[in-house]
Amino acid sequence: IYLGSQIFVVRRSNTSRSKTEDPEMASAITSCIVYERGQEPMKETVLDEAWGWFVVVGFGVFFTVFTMWLTRFETNTLGTAMSSEQFNTAGRNIGAGLTAAVIVSQWTWAATLLMSSNMGWRVGVSGPFWYASGATVQILLFAVLAIQVKRRASHMHTFMEIVKARFGTVTHCIMIVFALMANMIVTAMLLLGGAATISDLTGMSKLWAAFLIPLLSCWIYTMYGGLKATFFASYVHTSVIFLMLIVFTFSVYASSGDSSGLYGSPDKVYSGLQKASLHGFLTSTGRACDFDPSNSLCDGSTSTTKSVGNFSALDSFIENDGTCFTADKRETGKACKFQPKSSGTCCAFDLGKKITSTQYCRADKGDCVDVGAKSYESTGCNADEQCVPSFLTMGSPSGLLFGITNIVGNFGTVFVDQSYWQSAVAAKPKSAVLGFLIGGMVWFAVPFCMATTTGLAGRALTMHPELTPLYITATSSGQGLTPARVLAKILGSGGAFILLLQLFMAITSTGSAEIIAVSSILTYDIYYTYLNPELKTRRENLRASFSTAVAAFEVAGKVASDKVQHVLNALMAANFFEKAVPAREVAAFATAIDSFTDTDGQISTTDLYACLNRAVSSNNVEGQILLRVSKFFTAIFAIFMGFLAVFLQTLGFSLGWVYMSMGVIIGSAVGPASLTILMERANGIFIGAGAVGGLVLGLLGWLVKAHVDNGSISCDTLGQDWPWVVGNLCAILGGLLISLVGSLAFPDTTFKWSMLNERIPLVDDIEPAKDNDETDEKLSRQVKIAVVASVVLTFVLLVLWPLPMHGAAGVFGKGGFTTWVALEIIWALVGGIVIIVLPVWETVRAFVQAKKNVETITQKADASATLKNGITLTIDIVAEKPATAKEKSVAVDI
């Protein structure tokens, strides 16, 4: 109680309470403690506050140093020079294994671990499945976009560059806004959930945690090593997350357990969940006279009444498939189900404050239960039996509804998040599809395993004799505390610590990906395009100069290797080079020419320009500037992340509310962003209109549905399931239909895919040479593989597997549940092995090959700049060309 400048906090005794009193307010007041304003009572936590600081600061510094060492080791060993292209694209040659590990890391948020467990606790086995499948299909389907990026826009740094190259400034600016909103929403999700959990586990201030994590644990190594450093960090984080996930799983399903018999094997957890269901529907429900025997409608005798227990969130699974039980709790084997009552209530009379929020009133006759303001009646049982819905079933309307919301809501945070496009850019062409498909299927194991373990065990533990049915409540589970309370009970403080470390990994891995993604947007789409367009103009002028010089030697888009020196002579005559080119750069240029020359002794004009652009780095001004700008923007966004989290916590936004509303806000850009790389005749006007129009439709659908269902619009009514579903569907379908129908009606017939790379030039690097598996024909085959594999897997995960089980499987028996758990464990083990071993194998193999290439290049550089055809290249510049006044001004500005 606030009074003036002081806070009064009352303490209550632990004396017994009456059966009708609220369990949290029933004991008597025994004392009062006064705190000055600004102070607050200390809460008891599983770990000391020092552990929170140790993880945030200590582990943050440790993983920063470790990642920086890995980056430095690669640079020193392979001689990889840090350029703006390398910083933002990681060299465009990442293998499928590391790509998959990065995808798993980026898509594993704090919410993945916390909210999936909440769904397992709330609705049972269907919750983990729908969380996992509903957020896996987006990654699988993105594989189609990833391979098209490698085929059609391999020079891109951000997907907005494609928008700019195709549709102009207005549509470009619209998509920048949606992309930055996506990054801010993901950032808010990370830091709100992560900081809250760190605070709940250790007592560390949520504000300090949210502010320090981006700076100490994400920014430093991202600024030092760029995208490649975040990939190294993501691999380490993913490995740790999976190792801890397996520890949690075996602790719950393959250990000795304790005397309660509620965990330690699938059979024990099964029994615990069954006990929880029975307690919820037979012990925490009662007739009206059980709560108020003194009412005039009752006989006044307490001998015919029973003591009613407590059970949290009965409404979350009351519509699940169930089984009929007799009054003495004996299972009959008959299937049953509760459905909303068409009219009226079940309770004989209004109980008012005689009943708590965790107790439920039954009808005097028939199987009818009031849960809050809603009433439900069962079908399928005899008159002397009662229906008991089960946590052990896929037949859950609540789980299915969540799955729908999860599916449509998560498209925006993948298809509009620059970090996933950046992962596609960084992958080798032949690795893009496989990387995203493996990443999606491995990621499925994270929420599926975590929630099937801690979510279900959390419900079972509410029946523990040392605890109470309210050990985990709907409020605490909704705040993401189910894993913490489960692991603290099963593994003690050690379990709480490894959960803390796992969450820290999830936060930092995705946080660093968001930092580099936003830095790329601010650098290439805002600074390079609008704030300092002189840099791009200089690049375009150099390209025009090259095109003029090479025209005399070009035949059918190619130049003979014996004509390369003639091209260099023409470029020197045109003052293409501003200063003398070192001998090592000329030798590197010759090596690059040899690698791109075909068997006929020809090199494509595009590859010739790229080789020249990369090798002659001493003449590259904009590359150096863009690298500095990129690093500067990583710092800006890291600081912004901290302030954003503090601001949202001050406003009181919850993790769940932000998670469910994100699809309404950014989902409308999914269709337009996808058509940008999929549809050659897409119309820029309707691409922009689709993004904006879909947002308007989404907001309208969200608001109207909330008002229709509740008669008012507020945070509470907007936070209900159906308004979210309607808003998400209106946004994503509205944006897609506007952009697609408009483009079909008014197609752009002037644009061709070949124009993209011409309009998005590389700055200071070159695409890696394509091998025999990366020809146009084989990449076209990769597109077909991506489409077929992603569609088939999506159909399996959303239709073929769950819907028959939802409609007809009923309640699992012990054997069925054991099989389900075995599938979960196998998936986690196989996924863990693949995601830990495959990147190491690929990286070591690539490292050995790269080292050989470096030695070859070094030997060649030491020898001469001689091509395979015997011609020695020379670039003789007598003196540096004086810098113009504008170029001096640009340099001073930077």
Side-chain angles (χ1 to χ4, degrees):
I1 304 172
Y2 283 93
L3 185 61
S5 63
Q6 295 177 321
I7 306 172
F8 292 81
V9 180
V10 298
R11 283 184 173 176
R12 298 179 179 271
S13 68
N14 292 324
T15 56
S16 61
R17 56 180 179 266
S18 72
K19 62 188 176 187
T20 60
E21 290 178 309
D22 191 311
E24 296 183 0
M25 297 298 295
S27 53
I29 297 174
T30 59
S31 64
C32 180
I33 305 174
V34 180
Y35 295 87
E36 295 298 323
R37 185 179 291 275
Q39 298 177 340
E40 61 180 14
M42 296 295 293
K43 62 181 180 181
E44 184 178 351
T45 56
V46 180
L47 300 171
D48 292 335
E49 183 178 350
W51 286 109
W53 287 95
F54 173 72
V55 168
V56 171
V57 178
F59 272 89
V61 172
F62 170 76
F63 281 106
T64 294
V65 172
F66 179 70
T67 305
M68 290 173 67
W69 175 81
L70 284 176
T71 306
R72 186 74 175 176
F73 176 77
E74 182 197 40
T75 301
N76 291 339
T77 306
L78 301 182
T80 306
M82 182 57 69
S83 62
S84 66
E85 294 281 349
Q86 179 72 19
F87 187 86
N88 289 285
T89 67
R92 305 176 194 263
N93 63 348
I94 303 299
L98 188 55
T99 299
V102 169
I103 296 303
V104 173
S105 178
Q106 288 176 188
W107 204 213
T108 302
W109 304 351
T112 305
L113 305 172
L114 304 178
M115 292 295 102
S116 62
S117 296
N118 174 49
M119 289 307 300
W121 182 88
R122 286 178 60 83
V123 304
V125 297
S126 69
F129 177 86
W130 282 115
Y131 193 105
S133 64
T136 296
V137 297
Q138 295 84 358
I139 300 296
L140 300 176
L141 293 171
F142 195 87
V144 179
L145 273 64
I147 186 60
Q148 296 293 28
V149 163
K150 303 307 294 183
R151 292 181 65 233
R152 296 169 174 172
S154 56
H155 290 182
M156 65 165 267
H157 310 89
T158 73
F159 76 91
M160 280 77 67
E161 285 184 309
I162 304 176
V163 176
K164 173 66 175 175
R166 293 195 61 180
F167 308 130
T169 300
V170 175
T171 308
H172 182 228
C173 291
I174 290 173
M175 296 306 292
I176 288 175
V177 171
F178 278 95
L180 291 176
M181 281 198 300
N183 291 123
M184 286 190 287
I185 289 174
V186 172
T187 297
M189 289 287 299
L190 288 173
L191 297 180
L192 283 176
T197 306
I198 291 173
S199 176
D200 286 316
L201 287 172
T202 67
M204 180 182 180
S205 167
K206 288 188 287 188
L207 300 182
W208 276 113
F211 191 78
L212 291 177
I213 287 174
L215 292 173
L216 295 182
S217 306
C218 301
W219 168 61
I220 299 176
Y221 68 78
T222 303
M223 182 272 296
Y224 179 81
L227 187 63
K228 192 65 170 287
T230 70
F231 280 15
F232 286 147
S234 293
Y235 168 74
V236 175
H237 295 161
T238 300
S239 299
V240 173
I241 288 171
F242 261 91
L243 290 173
M244 294 178 177
L245 199 63
I246 292 169
V247 170
F248 298 160
T249 301
F250 278 85
S251 298
V252 170
Y253 290 114
S255 68
S256 58
D258 66 4
S259 58
S260 69
L262 297 173
Y263 66 91
S265 70
D267 283 354
K268 291 179 179 179
V269 176
Y270 181 95
S271 298
L273 291 172
Q274 196 169 52
K275 289 178 182 178
S277 298
L278 288 170
H279 181 87
F281 281 88
L282 300 184
T283 305
S284 67
T285 61
R287 298 176 298 116
C289 291
D290 292 329
F291 295 96
D292 187 11
S294 62
N295 190 281
S296 60
L297 297 178
C298 304
D299 59 11
S301 171
T302 59
S303 60
T304 59
T305 62
K306 72 169 187 177
S307 177
V308 181
N310 291 280
F311 191 85
S312 185
L314 196 73
D315 59 322
S316 65
F317 76 109
I318 192 171
E319 294 185 71
N320 284 13
D321 291 347
T323 307
C324 299
F325 281 79
T326 61
D328 58 355
K329 299 184 180 180
R330 186 168 46 84
E331 186 176 357
T332 66
K334 289 188 293 185
C336 64
K337 196 174 185 67
F338 273 96
Q339 294 179 334
K341 197 171 185 293
S342 57
S343 62
T345 60
C346 305
C347 208
F349 51 83
D350 184 20
L351 293 171
K353 295 183 179 180
K354 297 289 185 179
I355 188 171
T356 70
S357 60
T358 54
Q359 295 174 322
Y360 313 93
C361 184
R362 280 186 173 276
D364 290 344
K365 294 182 179 181
D367 195 13
C368 182
V369 180
D370 288 338
V371 182
K374 296 182 179 180
S375 300
Y376 300 86
E377 54 187 355
S378 73
T379 57
C381 296
N382 295 335
D384 59 343
E385 296 171 345
Q386 291 181 338
C387 182
V388 177
S390 177
F391 292 107
L392 298 155
T393 178
M394 281 292 289
S396 171
S398 296
L400 178 60
L401 181 60
F402 170 78
I404 296 172
T405 309
N406 202 34
I407 293 165
V408 296
N410 278 311
F411 270 100
T413 48
V414 173
F415 283 63
V416 191
D417 189 339
Q418 162 62 15
S419 65
Y420 296 95
W421 293 84
Q422 212 154 5
S423 296
V425 170
K428 294 178 181 177
K430 65 181 180 181
S431 301
V433 172
L434 192 59
F436 275 86
L437 293 179
I438 292 176
M441 296 308 294
V442 170
W443 181 87
F444 180 94
V446 177
F448 187 46
C449 184
M450 186 73 180
T452 302
T453 298
T454 59
L456 300 186
R459 265 302 182 185
L461 284 177
T462 59
M463 297 294 102
H464 200 289
E466 297 175 5
L467 306 173
T468 72
L470 300 180
Y471 175 62
I472 300 174
T473 64
T475 300
S476 59
S477 184
Q479 292 172 343
L481 300 182
T482 296
R485 297 195 176 177
V486 169
L487 296 172
K489 178 61 182 174
I490 294 176
L491 297 175
S493 58
F497 176 76
I498 59 177
L499 172 65
L500 176 64
L501 191 57
Q502 186 189 46
L503 289 168
F504 175 77
M505 297 294 175
I507 299 166
T508 54
S509 59
T510 309
S512 60
E514 295 304 306
I515 288 176
I516 193 70
V518 172
S519 171
S520 297
I521 295 172
L522 297 178
T523 299
Y524 288 98
D525 290 293
I526 296 179
Y527 177 81
Y528 194 36
T529 304
Y530 299 115
L531 298 183
N532 196 352
E534 291 87 355
L535 286 178
K536 185 169 286 189
T537 300
R538 178 183 180 277
R539 167 66 53 187
E540 291 170 352
N541 291 337
L542 287 174
R543 183 59 186 262
S545 178
F546 172 83
S547 299
T548 301
V550 81
F553 311 98
E554 182 182 22
V555 178
K558 291 186 176 183
V559 176
S561 60
D562 57 4
K563 299 293 184 182
V564 172
Q565 183 60 53
H566 297 286
V567 174
L568 291 178
N569 294 337
L571 291 174
M572 286 185 281
N575 293 322
F576 183 87
F577 305 101
E578 296 179 351
K579 54 186 178 182
V581 180
R584 59 179 174 80
E585 292 187 3
V586 180
F589 173 61
T591 302
I593 291 295
D594 282 342
S595 67
F596 280 91
T597 301
D598 59 26
T599 55
D600 296 330
Q602 304 280 324
I603 182 173
S604 73
T605 305
T606 301
D607 289 338
L608 175 60
Y609 178 75
C611 292
L612 186 67
N613 184 48
R614 177 191 185 187
V616 190
S617 57
S618 60
N619 277 261
N620 194 306
V621 176
E622 59 267 42
Q624 300 170 23
I625 293 173
L626 291 177
L627 177 59
R628 296 172 191 166
V629 171
S630 296
K631 292 186 174 185
F632 170 74
F633 281 134
T634 62
I636 293 297
F637 187 65
I639 296 171
F640 174 78
M641 286 171 69
F643 281 112
L644 175 66
V646 171
F647 175 70
L648 292 177
Q649 286 177 351
T650 303
L651 293 180
F653 280 93
S654 69
L655 178 67
W657 206 91
V658 175
Y659 179 81
M660 298 295 280
S661 59
M662 61 188 178
V664 180
I665 299 172
I666 60 176
S668 61
V670 171
S674 301
L675 293 178
T676 298
I677 194 65
L678 296 178
M679 187 176 184
E680 191 172 42
R681 295 192 169 194
N683 186 303
I685 295 176
F686 290 98
I687 293 294
V692 176
L695 173 62
V696 173
L697 292 175
L699 291 173
L700 283 175
W702 192 18
L703 296 170
V704 170
K705 182 61 176 175
H707 188 273
V708 169
D709 287 354
N710 302 278
S712 64
I713 297 175
S714 66
C715 283
D716 290 335
T717 59
L718 289 173
Q720 295 176 358
D721 287 338
W722 275 112
W724 266 325
V725 170
V726 172
N728 275 278
L729 287 174
C730 287
I732 194 169
L733 294 180
L736 175 61
L737 290 176
I738 291 173
S739 55
L740 179 60
V741 173
S743 296
L744 290 174
F746 303 96
D748 178 2
T749 57
T750 61
F751 173 79
K752 302 299 178 184
W753 291 123
S754 58
M755 298 177 181
L756 275 182
N757 277 346
E758 296 294 324
R759 297 177 181 180
I760 310 175
L762 293 169
V763 177
D764 53 3
D765 206 346
I766 186 174
E767 286 189 74
K770 295 180 180 179
D771 59 29
N772 294 330
D773 293 327
E774 296 174 339
T775 62
D776 289 340
E777 180 183 355
K778 290 186 177 181
L779 290 183
S780 297
R781 192 180 308 158
Q782 287 280 316
V783 175
K784 297 176 183 177
I785 292 173
V787 171
V788 173
S790 60
V791 171
V792 169
L793 288 172
T794 297
F795 177 76
V796 170
L797 291 176
L798 299 185
V799 180
L800 188 61
W801 181 359
L803 294 189
M805 297 187 73
H806 174 82
V811 178
F812 287 161
K814 282 190 176 182
F817 181 66
T818 300
T819 302
W820 188 265
V821 171
L823 174 64
E824 170 245 322
I825 294 175
I826 292 171
W827 205 311
L829 288 172
V830 173
I833 292 171
V834 168
I835 215 65
I836 292 173
V837 174
L838 182 59
V840 173
W841 178 72
E842 283 186 344
T843 302
V844 170
R845 186 180 63 173
F847 182 84
V848 171
Q849 183 60 46
K851 199 168 189 310
K852 291 180 180 178
N853 294 340
V854 169
E855 292 173 353
T856 302
I857 292 172
T858 302
Q859 292 171 1
K860 183 174 180 62
D862 292 341
S864 66
T866 303
L867 297 176
K868 287 186 295 187
N869 59 14
I871 296 176
T872 300
L873 302 180
T874 59
I875 303 177
D876 297 322
I877 305 296
V878 177
E880 295 186 8
K881 188 177 74 172
T884 65
K886 176 176 282 190
E887 289 170 342
K888 290 180 179 179
S889 174
V890 170
V892 170
D893 290 342
I894 294 302

